Amino acid sequence: MRVVLLGTAAGGGFPQWNCACALCAAARDGRLPSRTQECAAVSGNGRDWWLLNASPDLRTQLTATPALWPGPGPRDTPLRGVLLTDAEADHVTGLGELRGAAGLKVYAAPPVRSALAPVRAALERYAPWEWADTLADGGFVLAGGLVVTARTVGAKIPKYIPVQALQPAGPWVTAYRVEDLASGGVLVYAPCVGAWSAELDELCAEADCVLVDGTFYAADEMGTAVRSGAGQAAMGHLPVTGPDGTLAALARHPGARRVYTHLNNTNPLLDPASPARARAAEHGVEVLDDGAELLL
C-alpha cells in the first residue's frame, strides 16, 4: 500500500494568510517549510488511487504528485474517489476541484452526506458521482485491493451548519482503518480526534502506521500564540501533550509507525529545531513534510 501525504497543515495551511505569529513569519521568509491543508492519497496497486479528504489546496497537491497525474487518455485519471472523515470546510472544499470527473465515489458518514446535500446537487450537474455510507456494516472494498472500515471518533458539527439544522451528537467525525489485502499492511487515518477511545486504541494496536491528529501541541496554544479566545476542546481536537493528550495515547502503540498530521499554524511541532519536535521524536512520533510517501 502506498500512502502519500498530500498536505499536512490544519485549516488555513501554513503559513496562514491572516496570521503574523512567529511560526508563520518564519515560513514566509523561508526558514520553515510551507504546508498545504491536510489531505492524503492511498493506493493498493499504484494505479487506483483514493483521496483521504479533499482539501482546498487539492489542485496544487494533485499537480505536485506524479502518481496522481491524468493519463494515458486525455481525460483519464487514476482517482477513483474520496473518503471523508468529516464535513469540515478544510476537508470537503476540494470536492469542487474534482467536478466534471465522472464515476467518482465518495464515502462519508450519514450526517456528513446530509450536510453536503447542496454540494452534492451542484456537483451532480457536472458529472454523476456515487455517494456511499462509510459506516456501513462490514466495511467496504476499494478498487486496488483495499478493505476499509470506519469508526466514530468525534461528534463536532461544523460551524457553517445552520443552528436550526443541528442534530444530536452523532457520527460526524470518523477514523478509517485501511488494509491492503496483498501486503497485509494496515493504515489508521484519524486526522481529527475529539476524544481518545478504547475503540481507537484497538485500531492502533493492529496498525502498521497511524496518521493522527496533531493539530495543537498544548491545551492553551491558541491563547499563547495568537491571543485567541477559541478553545481547542471546542474545536474538536485533542492536544498532543497533557495526561490525556495524543502523545500519551500513542505511547501505548510502539509497534506502529506514528505520524502527526493536520498541524495548526500555531503548533511548535512545525519547527524541526523546536523542543516540541524533539519530545515527539523521543516518543517515536514523526512529523513529515508534504509529499512524503509511506509504504505498508
Side-chain angles (χ1 to χ4, degrees), residues 7-16 35-39 55-57 90-91 191 213-216 235 237 261-267 270:
T8 54
F14 179 67
Q16 188 169 295
R35 297 173 183 267
T36 57
Q37 294 168 89
E38 192 277 326
C39 182
S55 90
D57 300 316
D90 57 316
H91 282 159
D213 188 344
T215 307
F216 300 110
M235 298 174 73
H237 298 283
T261 190
H262 201 268
L263 303 167
N264 197 58
N265 62 292
T266 56
N267 193 329
L270 292 165

XYZ file of all heavy atoms in Angstrom, residues 7-16 35-39 55-57 90-91 191 213-216 235 237 261-267 270:
260
model
N -1.031 16.890 1.948
C -0.961 18.097 2.767
C -0.989 17.710 4.226
O -1.577 16.688 4.585
N -0.363 18.508 5.076
C -0.233 18.140 6.489
C -0.629 19.258 7.454
O -0.484 19.105 8.666
C 1.220 17.721 6.791
O 2.103 18.762 6.367
C 1.584 16.426 6.068
N -1.119 20.381 6.947
C -1.488 21.508 7.805
C -2.982 21.495 8.109
O -3.784 20.910 7.380
C -1.108 22.827 7.157
N -3.344 22.164 9.184
C -4.757 22.328 9.523
C -5.384 23.392 8.632
O -4.748 23.908 7.709
C -4.893 22.698 11.002
N -6.646 23.725 8.887
C -7.361 24.693 8.073
C -6.618 26.023 7.973
O -6.176 26.568 8.975
N -6.489 26.522 6.760
C -5.760 27.769 6.530
C -4.350 27.533 6.035
O -3.725 28.439 5.478
N -3.831 26.308 6.212
C -2.485 26.000 5.737
C -1.415 26.672 6.577
O -1.682 27.275 7.617
N -0.174 26.528 6.122
C 0.959 27.116 6.836
C 1.947 27.694 5.841
O 2.462 26.961 5.000
C 1.633 26.051 7.697
C 2.828 26.552 8.465
C 2.669 27.482 9.472
C 4.109 26.103 8.164
C 3.770 27.959 10.188
C 5.214 26.564 8.870
C 5.040 27.490 9.877
N 2.224 29.012 5.887
C 1.654 29.975 6.833
C 0.192 30.289 6.512
O -0.222 30.207 5.359
C 2.530 31.217 6.628
C 2.955 31.127 5.194
C 3.163 29.656 4.938
N -0.548 30.627 7.535
C -1.940 31.025 7.353
C -1.977 32.459 6.846
O -1.245 33.311 7.342
C -2.693 30.902 8.680
C -4.186 31.116 8.558
C -4.909 30.735 9.832
O -4.918 29.566 10.234
N -5.493 31.720 10.493
N 3.263 24.437 4.249
C 2.452 23.220 4.179
C 1.058 23.540 3.657
O 0.492 24.586 4.000
C 2.323 22.567 5.573
C 3.652 22.086 6.160
C 3.484 21.624 7.599
N 4.754 21.222 8.187
C 5.216 19.969 8.197
N 4.478 19.003 7.680
N 6.390 19.692 8.737
N 0.525 22.652 2.837
C -0.845 22.806 2.368
C -1.786 22.091 3.334
O -1.370 21.368 4.235
C -1.011 22.239 0.952
O -0.612 20.855 0.942
C -0.152 23.018 -0.036
N -3.085 22.309 3.135
C -4.082 21.802 4.066
C -4.248 20.283 3.949
O -4.151 19.713 2.869
C -5.404 22.531 3.846
C -5.270 24.014 4.216
C -6.444 24.848 3.754
O -7.421 24.998 4.476
N -6.348 25.414 2.567
N -4.519 19.674 5.077
C -4.435 18.228 5.258
C -5.263 17.433 4.250
O -6.445 17.686 4.029
C -4.881 17.880 6.681
C -4.580 16.468 7.110
C -5.638 15.491 6.639
O -6.829 15.878 6.585
O -5.275 14.350 6.332
N -4.591 16.445 3.672
C -5.207 15.552 2.700
C -4.189 14.454 2.411
O -2.979 14.686 2.486
C -5.545 16.313 1.423
S -6.377 15.382 0.125
N -8.917 18.617 0.330
C -8.598 19.929 0.879
C -8.809 21.046 -0.140
O -8.857 20.801 -1.349
C -7.144 19.956 1.367
O -6.275 20.360 0.331
N -8.907 22.298 0.326
C -8.999 23.432 -0.601
C -7.779 23.565 -1.497
O -7.843 24.230 -2.534
C -9.126 24.640 0.345
C -9.640 24.078 1.622
C -9.037 22.719 1.733
N -6.664 22.941 -1.108
C -5.423 23.012 -1.890
C -5.275 21.827 -2.835
O -4.174 21.546 -3.320
C -4.215 23.031 -0.936
C -4.238 24.215 0.002
O -4.535 25.329 -0.458
O -3.971 24.029 1.203
N -12.210 22.560 5.550
C -10.875 22.260 5.047
C -10.720 20.813 4.601
O -9.667 20.431 4.088
C -9.808 22.604 6.096
C -10.006 21.905 7.422
O -11.147 21.850 7.895
O -9.014 21.413 7.995
N -11.778 20.008 4.747
C -11.724 18.620 4.288
C -12.670 18.323 3.139
O -12.604 17.239 2.550
C -12.008 17.670 5.442
C -10.844 17.490 6.355
N -10.960 17.038 7.650
C -9.516 17.705 6.155
C -9.755 16.985 8.208
N -8.880 17.391 7.319
N -7.235 12.113 11.311
C -6.725 13.483 11.383
C -7.517 14.411 12.292
O -7.069 15.535 12.565
C -6.795 13.957 9.928
C -7.956 13.207 9.365
C -7.904 11.851 10.024
N -4.252 13.006 14.446
C -4.476 14.422 14.717
C -3.352 15.018 15.571
O -3.169 14.640 16.724
C -5.817 14.546 15.453
C -6.285 15.975 15.635
O -5.479 16.905 15.489
O -7.490 16.145 15.919
N -2.626 15.962 14.995
C -1.601 16.681 15.740
C -1.859 18.174 15.715
O -0.924 18.976 15.781
N -3.124 18.569 15.619
C -3.492 19.971 15.383
C -2.817 20.915 16.360
O -2.128 21.861 15.953
C -5.023 20.134 15.475
O -5.653 19.195 14.616
C -5.422 21.548 15.060
N -3.010 20.681 17.644
C -2.470 21.575 18.675
C -1.480 20.826 19.563
O -1.734 19.687 19.952
C -3.590 22.141 19.539
C -4.604 22.942 18.773
C -5.882 22.458 18.595
C -4.267 24.172 18.236
C -6.826 23.194 17.886
C -5.194 24.912 17.524
C -6.484 24.422 17.342
N -12.982 23.109 19.442
C -12.657 22.903 18.040
C -12.546 21.424 17.691
O -12.292 21.059 16.549
C -11.360 23.638 17.698
C -11.466 25.148 17.895
S -9.904 26.016 17.656
C -9.734 25.914 15.876
N -10.373 18.942 18.817
C -9.053 18.342 18.648
C -8.373 18.163 20.002
O -8.227 19.123 20.761
C -8.162 19.229 17.766
C -8.675 19.424 16.376
N -8.560 18.464 15.403
C -9.313 20.473 15.805
C -9.104 18.912 14.275
N -9.569 20.125 14.505
N -0.393 14.667 11.696
C -0.825 15.449 10.554
C -1.868 16.462 11.027
O -2.213 16.507 12.206
C -1.390 14.540 9.445
O -1.583 15.308 8.242
C -2.701 13.884 9.863
N -2.350 17.321 10.117
C -3.334 18.360 10.451
C -2.764 19.315 11.506
O -3.377 19.617 12.527
C -4.643 17.729 10.946
C -5.834 18.628 10.836
N -6.248 19.446 11.866
C -6.696 18.858 9.824
C -7.320 20.122 11.502
N -7.618 19.784 10.250
N -1.568 19.831 11.247
C -0.865 20.703 12.190
C -1.335 22.145 12.056
O -1.261 22.739 10.967
C 0.643 20.624 11.941
C 1.250 19.215 12.024
C 2.652 19.208 11.453
C 1.256 18.728 13.457
N -1.789 22.727 13.153
C -2.209 24.125 13.125
C -1.007 25.050 13.000
O 0.116 24.709 13.416
C -2.980 24.469 14.401
C -3.776 25.744 14.253
O -4.631 25.854 13.371
N -3.503 26.731 15.095
N -1.223 26.233 12.447
C -0.109 27.159 12.208
C 0.540 27.658 13.503
O 1.638 28.219 13.467
C -0.582 28.361 11.386
C -1.645 29.183 12.100
O -2.765 28.717 12.294
N -1.304 30.403 12.478
N -0.096 27.430 14.646
C 0.468 27.829 15.938
C 1.273 26.714 16.606
O 1.843 26.922 17.678
C -0.668 28.226 16.895
O -1.596 27.120 16.991
C -1.411 29.461 16.395
N 1.331 25.549 15.990
C 1.911 24.363 16.631
C 3.437 24.364 16.516
O 3.981 24.358 15.413
C 1.346 23.111 15.958
C 1.638 21.844 16.727
O 2.656 21.731 17.401
N 0.747 20.881 16.623
N 5.819 22.325 14.064
C 6.160 22.760 12.708
C 7.643 23.105 12.570
O 8.175 23.118 11.459
C 5.313 23.972 12.318
C 3.808 23.702 12.136
C 3.045 25.013 12.124
C 3.559 22.913 10.861
